Amino acid sequence: MNRSRIRGLYAITPDLADTGALACRVRSALAGGARLIQYRNKSAAEQTRLDQARMLVSLCREFDALLIINDHVDLTLEVGADGAHLGAEDGSVGDARGKLGPGKILGMSCYNRLDLARGAVKLGADYVAFGSFFSSSVKPGAVIAAPGLLRQAKAELALPLVAIGGITTANGRILVEAGAYALAVITAVFSA
């Protein structure tokens, strides 16, 4: 099952309008060991998102990595990505699971709330993400989660846990030791 592949470096793309530049950066991340790519572009036009997602599917297949699409379940299906990721305001996990079917991965951001994670699991999520664990330039006002949340979630939930928020080579180990299966990173990967 693809759920078992949710581990390691989970690179989340920066907002880039230039598809060639995005391809170059993602190729470098994959060559450097990223096992999952989340396509996240909050500012692109619909056609740009479609073109970039198609390019990323091809690139991820080349490296045997998973491609997860942020916020857009329909785009996930259109391009044949491996799954989708939802935030708390991006729609219902149950509705998304119904559209995606059992063969696609579905993840949900749960911030610093174990109750959201429990609910997501009941509705068919394949993984849950917690964070921000550290201050982040991408989301400076994000709620902060403590590493102990990962320990508690690992004891209660039988699915992969993803940590996000200000993660670097200097602080990632503490989150893995607390129970994170994967570390979701934007800046430390794509600004390197």
Side-chain angles (χ1 to χ4, degrees):
M1 162 126 193
N2 281 334
R3 178 190 281 190
S4 66
R5 293 179 62 195
I6 301 169
R7 61 178 57 253
L9 179 57
Y10 184 149
I12 301 176
T13 63
D15 285 5
L16 288 175
D18 183 333
T19 302
L22 179 63
C24 183
R25 288 183 178 190
V26 170
R27 178 176 289 285
S28 293
L30 290 165
R35 302 311 317 138
L36 300 102
I37 299 292
Q38 183 184 121
Y39 175 54
R40 177 186 181 274
N41 194 326
K42 301 285 190 178
S43 61
E46 188 174 332
Q47 186 61 51
T48 300
R49 253 196 308 271
L50 179 60
D51 294 343
Q52 290 183 345
R54 284 181 174 148
M55 174 273 300
L56 291 171
V57 165
S58 176
L59 200 50
C60 285
R61 296 298 175 264
E62 181 182 333
F63 283 87
D64 192 31
L66 297 174
L67 177 64
I68 307 295
I69 305 287
N70 183 274
D71 296 347
H72 297 279
V73 172
D74 292 336
L75 181 61
T76 300
L77 294 169
E78 186 171 355
V79 301
D82 298 292
H85 182 91
L86 302 176
E89 317 244 325
D90 297 328
S92 157
V93 171
D95 291 345
R97 175 50 70 207
K99 284 184 177 182
L100 291 171
K104 299 283 185 188
I105 295 169
L106 180 58
M108 182 177 174
S109 292
C110 297
Y111 313 100
N112 62 353
R113 296 183 48 197
L114 190 53
D115 63 310
L116 282 179
R118 290 182 191 115
V121 171
K122 287 179 184 172
L123 293 172
D126 294 300
Y127 73 89
V128 293
F130 294 106
S132 185
F133 285 95
F134 307 102
S135 62
S136 164
S137 61
V138 175
K139 289 189 177 181
V143 296
I144 298 296
L149 176 61
L150 291 168
R151 286 185 204 88
Q152 187 177 359
K154 188 172 182 179
E156 287 188 36
L157 306 174
L159 78 171
L161 309 175
V162 176
I164 189 169
I167 299 171
T168 66
T169 55
N171 63 24
R173 179 178 220 76
I174 191 170
L175 301 175
V176 172
E177 289 171 352
Y181 287 54
L183 300 179
V185 181
I186 301 172
T187 304
V189 169
F190 291 105
S191 294

